[in-house]
Amino acid sequence: QEQLQESGGGSVQPGGSLRLSCSTFGYTYSSYCMGWFRQSPGKEREGVAIIYMNGGSTRYFNSVKGRFTLSQDRAKDTMYLQMNSLEPEDTGMYYCAARKSGGSCNGRADFGYWGQGTQVTVSS
């Protein structure tokens, strides 16, 4: 019954904002940590932000620090990514992911459960 599903992607001009949502369908209660990742054509999937479910502490990868904010609404079983001051380099497919077992949450290899992604395009 557990499922990850992203939404909220779209096209925006540089400097604009988008808010992505990840409906977790139970993963917020069964996961050790969750995260947002992104991937551009021809490039490897890279981390955006991570949240630890026990306590809700977050960390951000250098490319988005000061511009993106990860949050969650446990009552709605939803994780969000608020993206401000968007740049063309932020273009890509954005995924939410989860790790169930305790351990490292440093990068994509640490996460075993993934959604299908939502496309974000930043261009003039």
Side-chain angles (χ1 to χ4, degrees), residues 19 25 28-29 33 36 68 89 91 93 117 124:
R19 184 177 178 87
F25 297 96
T28 57
Y29 303 101
C33 61
W36 285 98
F68 291 9
E89 292 74 19
T91 294
M93 188 74 73
S124 300

Side-chain angles (χ1 to χ4, degrees), residues 2 4 6 20 33 58 69 88 98-99 109 111 113:
E2 295 177 329
L4 297 171
E6 305 91 339
L20 306 183
C33 61
T58 57
T69 302
R99 177 190 177 97
F111 294 79
Y113 302 88

Side-chain angles (χ1 to χ4, degrees), residues 10-83:
S11 297
V12 65
Q13 293 185 335
S17 298
L18 284 173
R19 184 177 178 87
L20 306 183
S21 298
C22 175
S23 297
T24 66
F25 297 96
Y27 272 95
T28 57
Y29 303 101
S30 62
S31 297
Y32 176 73
C33 61
M34 298 187 68
W36 285 98
F37 295 79
R38 66 187 183 187
Q39 186 169 21
S40 299
K43 297 183 179 295
E44 294 185 342
R45 192 169 301 182
E46 65 178 4
V48 175
I50 305 295
I51 183 169
Y52 290 84
M53 310 315 296
N54 186 5
S57 62
T58 57
R59 73 177 186 90
Y60 299 89
F61 289 77
N62 289 336
S63 61
V64 305
K65 285 182 178 178
R67 301 187 298 119
F68 291 9
T69 302
L70 188 160
S71 62
Q72 64 174 145
D73 187 334
R74 301 293 292 271
K76 295 182 178 180
D77 207 14
T78 301
M79 181 175 66
Y80 303 96
L81 183 69
Q82 178 67 47
M83 306 186 294

Side-chain angles (χ1 to χ4, degrees), residues 81-102:
L81 183 69
Q82 178 67 47
M83 306 186 294
N84 298 325
S85 301
L86 284 163
E87 304 169 350
E89 292 74 19
D90 296 316
T91 294
M93 188 74 73
Y94 282 69
Y95 302 87
C96 61
R99 177 190 177 97
K100 288 192 173 183
S101 61

